[in-house]
Amino acid sequence: MENRQNLLVINGGSSSIKFAMYQADNISVPILSGGLENIGKDNSRFSFINSINNVKETIPVEIENHASAAGYLLAWLEKQDGFSTIKVVGHRIVHGMQHTNATTISPELLNELKQICPYDPEHLPAEIKLVEIFISRHPSIMQVACFDTAFHTTMPHTAQLLPIPRMYFERGIKRYGFHGLSYTYLIEALQTMPGHDIPNEKIILAHLGSGTSLAAVKHRECIDTSMGFTPTSGLLMGSRTGDLDPGVAWYLMQVEKMTPEQFNQLINHKSGLLGISGSSDDMKELIKRKPSDAHAAEAFELFCYQTKKFIGSYAAALEGLDTLVFSGGIGEHSPDVRSQVCDGLDFLGIQLDEIKNMNNAVTISTAASKVTVHVIKTDEQIMIARLAAEVWMNEREKSNKSGEIININSARQHE
């Protein structure tokens, strides 16, 4: 393995860090994959799969924050066969403003991202810390930013607007959209499936998981998406509110004397499925409980109802619908949710084959359905790997043409 060139993917979330290592010339199955979960909680753990040695392990660990998590992960990776040949690290960056493509990470880009940390305090600070730790420990390895927002930069101006004074739009306060790396993967996956003419199709992509959003795609471009200025908006999620009457914020701050920090904690970590059920943010667990737990049943019903409403509204925005894709942890594994969401949508031409649905088949619509309904497992890691490899190869080609060997990170650190 040491004579190969490898690349590493780092996917940092609000309470987790996932990773995957690939051979640069064979981005299909990762050599190593895994991650740290429940960072900062009592039940934090580290798990990994080594596909070369066929080893799989989960280890309980004590991880206080993302900085210690990054240090732990990097120290472990440095001991693994293949790390010494890593040429590029691709980082998932949730918020990228108007960046439309993956790009090498420079000090200027890091400063730009630090400036917009208030846009997404749940993700950006931790992601920036990960990048800085990797650069400080391994300055010769190229670091590439892959933006979740890039997919949505094609949205029409009207879809980006928020109904507040225009001066705020000019300061960057508008609808951005997220889960873009997942959506990019799903569109690419659809292109490989028979019977699809992606450029001419009207498509709704439903990424349903602990973070949940939908996107409407027409002529291969996103025209609208449920998440907006932050990943907290849109549908209710595992522990996030989704869209919320702004008057609730005013009330809680005025009457309950809630601070901005407490309000942020409420809407991101104590709401959604967890808040409504009062017991769990896990859809699988809620489905088990709903026959005997009215609050669990309400959480399930509201999640499906809101998803159905967004599908209806996006079918209107698209002026029709050809393809519906379910993805994400819930979308891929919950026949109950898919069935409940699609129930009553026959007026759009959606008909489910319930046997295929219960078996989590790739295509779960009937032969007579006017809308093709798929279940596609998303893969953000492999999407990041492809984008990072493309940037790395482009930079290498530029270096070869100029006759120079450029150390991207170390060169830019001295700019």
Side-chain angles (χ1 to χ4, degrees), residues 3-290:
N3 62 347
R4 290 188 176 273
Q5 294 178 319
N6 295 331
L7 62 85
L8 180 67
V9 167
I10 297 295
N11 186 344
S14 57
S15 62
S16 67
I17 303 174
K18 298 176 184 177
F19 75 90
M21 186 189 298
Y22 298 87
Q23 294 176 2
D25 61 350
N26 182 26
I27 302 174
S28 55
V29 178
I31 303 165
L32 283 172
S33 62
L36 285 154
E37 298 178 85
N38 301 322
I39 295 170
K41 300 179 182 179
D42 293 337
N43 60 339
S44 56
R45 58 186 180 270
F46 173 67
S47 60
F48 70 90
I49 299 173
N50 185 322
S51 61
I52 302 298
N53 302 326
N54 197 27
V55 175
K56 182 178 181 180
E57 190 172 352
T58 298
I59 307 166
V61 292
E62 293 185 10
I63 301 293
E64 296 181 358
N65 50 48
H66 273 74
S68 58
Y72 179 96
L73 176 59
L74 190 49
W76 184 86
L77 285 168
E78 288 167 344
K79 299 175 184 177
Q80 306 308 306
D81 186 24
F83 185 86
S84 63
T85 63
I86 288 175
K87 302 300 179 183
V88 57
V89 179
H91 295 266
R92 176 196 177 208
I93 304 296
V94 169
H95 216 308
M97 295 289 283
Q98 292 305 302
H99 289 279
T100 58
N101 296 296
T103 185
T104 53
I105 297 175
S106 65
E108 290 79 11
L109 178 58
L110 280 176
N111 288 334
E112 178 187 331
L113 294 175
K114 288 176 182 178
Q115 292 298 314
I116 63 169
C117 276
Y119 285 25
D120 185 10
E122 294 297 309
H123 296 91
L124 267 179
E127 290 169 350
I128 292 169
K129 178 62 69 175
L130 279 168
V131 171
E132 290 179 330
I133 290 173
F134 270 84
I135 289 177
S136 66
R137 293 270 286 265
H138 297 280
S140 65
I141 299 177
M142 179 188 291
Q143 310 288 321
V144 174
C146 303
F147 302 103
D148 247 339
T149 47
F151 181 81
H152 306 290
T153 54
T154 59
M155 286 197 302
H157 180 72
T158 303
Q160 297 180 39
L161 290 172
L162 289 171
I164 56 177
R166 181 164 294 276
M167 64 178 179
Y168 294 109
F169 178 87
E170 294 167 355
R171 296 174 189 174
I173 302 177
K174 60 180 183 177
R175 300 185 68 250
Y176 288 98
F178 302 92
H179 285 143
L181 293 165
S182 173
Y183 291 138
T184 303
Y185 177 85
L186 294 176
I187 290 296
E188 289 193 4
L190 273 177
Q191 288 181 143
T192 67
M193 300 175 71
H196 285 286
D197 181 16
I198 302 301
N200 296 311
E201 285 188 33
K202 299 168 182 178
I203 303 166
I204 294 177
L205 305 172
H207 180 111
L208 311 181
S210 57
T212 297
S213 71
L214 278 79
V217 178
K218 189 175 185 179
H219 305 312
R220 286 184 57 88
E221 294 186 344
C222 177
I223 66 163
D224 207 344
T225 188
S226 57
M227 285 180 172
F229 178 61
T230 73
T232 309
S233 57
L235 279 74
L236 83 158
M237 306 173 214
S239 62
R240 302 179 215 164
T241 58
D243 290 341
L244 185 68
D245 182 342
V248 174
W250 185 91
Y251 176 87
L252 292 175
M253 291 178 184
Q254 292 294 316
V255 178
E256 301 290 336
K257 307 303 179 185
M258 189 173 286
T259 66
E261 291 76 15
Q262 290 171 331
F263 182 73
N264 184 66
Q265 186 73 11
L266 173 75
I267 62 174
N268 281 295
H269 301 287
K270 298 181 179 180
S271 299
L273 295 174
L274 176 62
I276 294 171
S277 69
S279 58
S280 178
D281 62 357
D282 186 331
M283 180 60 77
K284 186 176 180 180
E285 183 66 24
L286 294 174
I287 290 172
K288 288 181 182 178
R289 294 182 183 182
K290 69 186 182 76

